[in-house]
Amino acid sequence: MLDLNNMKKSDFFYELPQELIAQTPIEPRNASRMLCLDRTTGEVGHDHFYNLCDHLKKGDLLVLNDSRVLPARIYGETEDTHSFIEFLLVEQRGNMEWEILCRPGKKARVGRRFVFGNGLLTAEITEVLEDGNRIAKFECSESTNFFAALDEIGQMPLPPYITEKLKDKERYQTVYSNEIGSSAAPTAGLHFTKEQLADIEKMGVNIAYVTLHVGLGTFRPVKEDKVLDHKMHREHYELPKRTADLINKTKAEGGRVIAVGTTSCRTLESVAAFHGEIKPCDGFTEIFIYPGFEFKVLDGLITNFHLPESTLIMLVSAFAGYENTMNAYKIAVEEKYRFFSFGDSMFIADSIKEDK
């Protein structure tokens, strides 16, 4: 039994063979396997993502995160000595100003200038933050703008457990990505094809969007042994009026609100926690969802398999139940599911066998 007042990060550890970490995306997108977990009974079933419609009902609402990943990793050189530098853009702080991670950090002193893409972009370090990150002020050549330059010279900021080079940048984007600003993909949505989304709408399931720009904190490990001592990273979100209206309508009519991904989940539950209701809004959230959390919006969750001892497996455990979640992960390892960003999917709801 999990002690909610004294949770340890080790409570969320599981053994994962290295070969189960997916290195490349599957083709087609929706060919991935899908473990189905009944959060009421703990029953586990097995399916494929292309059969998702079999698990949805007319009147359900899928909420997707339409954030688009920046090709945020750029390689360049110091302007004076022409030695190597790597920047990873973390968060926009102002007009052409970004918080960055850089390697090697000792070269990134305040006032030092750098060149990327043979002059497409230049940058100057203006501040060193307490955590070692930097603030960089960028300039573009006259032939381009900042985001066009990034698209040309930037690389996708794949998580560290993916070691193979990505052949097609778009495979680390969802097919519905629209609002640029994430440092990592909302990976639960990578399974959808445009055709499948159209089929879902045809069966009477509504689709709505939120935007939460995923920060690099999503990859940062929980360092504190006690879960409650962990401080979450800050991420920007927006919940538009159409989405708020659809959520409230779905709830009023007895339908299910199903979040696609932990980022959509965090957006919806943040708004409900901050405002006491679902309404159009935007802001920043540092919400930390772990067992004991009372969900106000979610009835279902589509998600991937997450790292051991991560805040994401804690969120899933809060929604599906700790014992249910850890047992499902044990089964997934035994059944050789593919894990993490390019891996397989989970569908979690109150009942995986309700009549549609």
Side-chain angles (χ1 to χ4, degrees), residues 78-258:
T78 56
E79 191 176 63
D80 49 2
T81 63
H82 305 291
S83 53
F84 170 84
I85 194 75
E86 175 188 341
F87 278 14
L88 187 58
L89 278 60
V90 175
E91 181 183 335
Q92 188 167 10
R93 291 296 193 93
N95 183 30
M96 299 291 282
E97 280 194 327
W98 286 78
E99 180 181 343
I100 63 163
L101 293 168
C102 55
R103 181 171 62 93
K106 63 183 180 181
K107 294 180 182 177
R109 302 185 300 271
V110 171
R112 197 102 189 250
R113 293 182 58 82
F114 303 91
V115 180
F116 303 90
N118 295 318
L120 275 181
L121 288 177
T122 58
E124 179 178 332
I125 303 299
T126 60
E127 185 181 350
V128 178
L129 303 178
E130 287 186 8
D131 60 4
N133 289 5
R134 270 70 168 169
I135 302 296
K137 178 75 171 179
F138 286 88
E139 297 176 3
C140 298
S141 71
E142 294 181 0
S143 63
T144 188
N145 64 54
F146 180 76
F147 290 108
L150 266 190
D151 198 49
E152 183 172 339
I153 66 176
Q155 301 293 321
M156 283 299 176
L158 295 179
Y161 49 76
I162 294 177
T163 57
E164 292 196 22
K165 187 175 177 61
L166 184 63
K167 295 178 181 178
D168 177 6
K169 286 183 183 180
E170 283 301 308
R171 286 303 273 108
Y172 196 57
Q173 305 278 16
T174 63
V175 296
Y176 49 82
S177 64
N178 187 50
E179 301 295 330
I180 194 163
S182 276
S183 298
T187 54
L190 294 178
H191 304 282
F192 286 96
T193 65
K194 290 182 178 179
E195 294 78 13
Q196 186 172 21
L197 289 169
D199 289 341
I200 288 169
E201 288 188 301
K202 284 178 186 175
M203 66 173 288
V205 174
N206 288 311
I207 293 175
Y209 298 93
V210 295
T211 302
L212 182 136
H213 291 316
V214 187
L216 289 173
T218 193
F219 298 129
R220 287 180 178 153
V222 176
K223 294 181 179 179
E224 294 80 5
D225 186 44
K226 289 187 66 174
V227 168
L228 299 186
D229 289 341
H230 177 71
K231 179 172 172 54
M232 285 292 287
H233 53 286
R234 185 182 78 155
E235 294 171 316
H236 186 263
Y237 70 87
E238 181 177 357
L239 194 153
K241 183 178 186 303
R242 178 181 181 274
T243 300
D245 290 347
L246 277 171
I247 291 170
N248 290 324
K249 180 174 182 290
T250 300
K251 287 291 191 182
E253 294 177 354
R256 299 182 300 177
V257 175
I258 300 170

